[in-house]
Amino acid sequence: MTETDFYQQLLDLDRLIVNHVAHHTDHILIYATLEAQPTPCPLCLRPTTTVNQYTQRQLQDLSISGKAVRLDVRMPQYSCHRCTRYFTDEPDWIMPGESHTRRQAKWIFDLCAKQPFTEVAALVGRSHKTVERLYCAFAQEQINLTERYARVRRLGIDEVAHRKGKRDYVCVLTDLDRGVQLDVLRDRKKATLMAHFEALGCDFADQIRSRWSAATCGGRMRR
């Protein structure tokens, strides 16, 4: 097995073909190409395989052996002869509008549930603003009020600091039975919580059997 074959199998990203791997002191740079495929035009929906050109996209992926992994990906730009339109088709493993893979964004999101943004930023080698943006973007993407809250019976309410020592908090809601993070609210104010619960409706309030909070009493759970 060649080195490129090894990294292609290790990454296991749909349509990604690894061309070359460069090893650096603190990171691994992987040059790759996104394989073109018949793709429908977003305007007329007619599939096309015509590639107008390739553009470069830099993405950060999960670390390997303690080294950051950066992907330098050649992305096909398609041309629709019917609409004379140029467009790209990003695979779902890329976080929309971000320079991260979706799994990297999820890892950052999970870290932020336990630590302030500044500490997570130091761990992943990004600015705390980037970490905060990713966290909020991933949280927003996960929100589907009807489905996410349908099975909740015990609701957990906690707070997470944006920046340690700055008293800058967001409010995190969790399903205690399933261990699922449901929502991230912009602050921990009572008015924010009330507005959020009112948006969920009376049916949601009726299905909750108990509410637990770790935001007070020195971190002890309170019913």
Side-chain angles (χ1 to χ4, degrees):
M1 178 183 292
T2 64
E3 183 182 42
T4 55
D5 289 338
F6 170 77
Y7 277 96
Q8 184 160 326
Q9 288 189 22
L10 185 64
L11 293 173
D12 192 26
L13 295 172
D14 184 44
R15 296 165 50 205
L16 189 75
I17 301 173
V18 175
N19 301 320
H20 176 65
V21 180
H23 296 270
H24 300 271
T25 304
D26 60 347
H27 70 277
I28 301 172
L29 181 57
I30 300 176
Y31 297 92
T33 300
L34 186 66
E35 185 178 21
Q37 65 175 11
T39 304
C41 169
L43 188 61
C44 70
L45 302 181
R46 180 183 180 183
T48 180
T49 56
T50 303
V51 176
N52 177 59
Q53 64 177 353
Y54 281 88
T55 59
Q56 297 297 128
R57 183 80 179 271
Q58 283 73 42
L59 303 164
Q60 184 168 342
D61 196 18
L62 293 173
S63 299
I64 297 176
S65 299
K67 288 188 175 184
V69 173
R70 300 173 187 171
L71 308 178
D72 190 311
V73 184
R74 295 177 69 242
M75 306 278 294
Q77 181 193 68
Y78 298 98
S79 173
C80 177
H81 297 297
R82 182 175 182 179
C83 300
T84 64
R85 180 188 179 99
Y86 301 104
F87 62 94
T88 58
D89 177 41
E90 293 186 351
D92 60 7
W93 50 263
I94 296 179
M95 193 68 184
E98 299 290 346
S99 59
H100 296 75
T101 61
R102 188 175 296 277
R103 61 191 179 194
Q104 171 74 357
K106 184 180 185 305
W107 184 62
I108 290 174
F109 178 81
D110 291 340
L111 286 176
C112 289
K114 304 291 184 181
Q115 303 171 80
F117 292 153
T118 50
E119 293 184 9
V120 174
L123 286 173
V124 300
R126 314 297 280 184
S127 71
H128 79 273
K129 286 295 185 183
T130 297
V131 169
E132 179 179 354
R133 187 183 69 249
L134 272 174
Y135 182 74
C136 293
F138 196 88
Q140 184 65 36
E141 191 177 80
Q142 301 304 303
I143 292 175
N144 183 317
L145 297 182
T146 302
E147 294 182 4
R148 291 184 67 79
Y149 285 89
R151 293 186 290 162
V152 179
R153 296 297 178 268
R154 296 193 305 142
L155 179 68
I157 304 174
D158 205 349
E159 61 186 24
V160 177
H162 278 207
R163 292 172 291 177
K164 191 173 182 179
K166 299 295 185 181
R167 304 187 64 81
D168 186 11
Y169 298 95
V170 293
C171 185
V172 179
L173 306 180
T174 56
D175 182 336
L176 296 175
D177 295 309
R178 291 182 293 156
V180 174
Q181 187 164 298
L182 299 166
D183 263 316
V184 181
L185 308 184
R186 64 179 181 273
D187 56 51
R188 54 179 180 172
K189 295 178 181 178
K190 181 179 178 180
T192 302
L193 276 168
M194 291 298 294
H196 184 72
F197 292 147
E198 286 174 2
L200 292 170
C202 295
D203 290 342
F204 169 73
D206 292 338
Q207 77 187 35
I208 298 300
R209 297 171 183 168
S210 61
R211 175 180 64 82
W212 294 75
S213 174
T216 57
C217 303
R220 298 190 300 272
M221 301 299 285
R222 185 178 68 176
R223 187 171 182 172

